[in-house]
Amino acid sequence: KHASDNTVASYMRDLRQYASYLGSEGIDVLDADQDVVSGYMNSMKANGKSAATISRALASIKSLYIFAVQNREIEENPIHNIKIDKAEKKLQQILTGKEVELLLQQPKVTEMKGCRDKAMLETLYATGMRVAELVGLDVADVTFGNRTVKVTGKGDKQRVMPFGAPADKALRDWLEY
């Protein structure tokens, strides 16, 4: 599926938990039916798992059974008819200008970690890139002459993003430190 490392890790964690549940019930993964999977989903809900967590777990399990059908391990996907509650869409929280200023003033730039944190916050704020994209940056991705950064995003798609003077200063200070 060409999924990210984080997605693969999440799916594996979901499948381990599912296998553990099946083991406690004395059921083999390939012998599970729709009722067993529904029971697992209900147990997750009873244990306080969010709709988003349950939905992702179902996607993980569904992928497992699609793979098993394709490889002729089983004849029919036992969960093709299972429906679950949709995950609640949450609106993004937007910081006020004052909150942004306070956030950007937090790092203590007298220490190396503070310099790094300031550079990270300024770059995130200036570009709007994802944290995963930020931590994947190399120094070679930054062009100080025209204040741009080459970002590799989801699906290995690359884009060039501009940044302003505060991020430029914070990045230079951190690199100098």
Side-chain angles (χ1 to χ4, degrees):
K1 285 187 163 186
H2 305 289
S4 73
D5 291 344
N6 287 340
T7 300
V8 171
S10 295
Y11 273 35
M12 291 302 295
R13 184 173 47 252
D14 292 338
L15 294 176
R16 279 190 206 96
Q17 290 171 354
Y18 177 58
S20 175
Y21 169 83
L22 292 177
S24 70
E25 298 290 316
I27 301 168
D28 184 83
V29 172
L30 298 178
D31 293 332
D33 59 17
Q34 190 168 334
D35 291 337
V36 171
V37 177
S38 289
Y40 177 61
M41 297 293 127
N42 290 334
S43 76
M44 289 181 74
K45 191 172 187 175
N47 287 325
K49 300 294 182 188
S50 72
T53 299
I54 296 170
S55 180
R56 192 199 62 229
L58 184 61
S60 303
I61 296 166
K62 189 177 280 188
S63 292
L64 169 71
Y65 286 121
I66 288 170
F67 178 82
V69 168
Q70 289 171 343
N71 287 283
R72 295 182 171 85
E73 299 285 333
I74 57 175
E75 289 184 28
E76 187 178 316
N77 185 339
I79 63 171
H80 60 351
N81 288 329
I82 293 181
K83 302 284 187 253
I84 59 166
D85 298 336
K86 292 282 183 186
E88 182 181 315
K89 297 271 186 190
K90 294 180 182 175
L91 293 176
Q92 295 176 341
Q93 296 291 319
I94 299 172
L95 299 176
T96 66
K98 185 69 174 165
E99 290 171 328
V100 170
E101 286 178 33
L102 288 170
L103 178 66
L104 294 175
Q105 291 171 2
Q106 291 306 303
K108 292 181 176 64
V109 292
T110 57
E111 303 167 2
M112 201 269 289
K113 277 178 71 174
C115 254
R116 180 206 59 199
D117 293 351
K118 175 82 169 174
M120 292 174 74
L121 288 172
E122 288 286 357
T123 303
L124 286 170
Y125 180 64
T127 63
M129 71 175 73
R130 296 174 181 92
V131 172
E133 294 169 337
L134 176 77
V135 299
L137 290 179
D138 291 319
V139 175
D141 295 329
V142 180
T143 306
F144 287 101
N146 60 3
R147 289 189 184 151
T148 59
V149 61
K150 182 174 63 172
V151 178
T152 303
K154 290 184 175 183
D156 284 334
K157 291 182 183 170
Q158 291 190 331
R159 63 194 189 282
V160 176
M161 305 176 89
F163 57 88
D168 182 275
K169 180 178 178 354
L171 286 166
R172 287 178 189 271
D173 288 349
W174 177 64
L175 289 172
E176 205 173 288
Y177 203 100

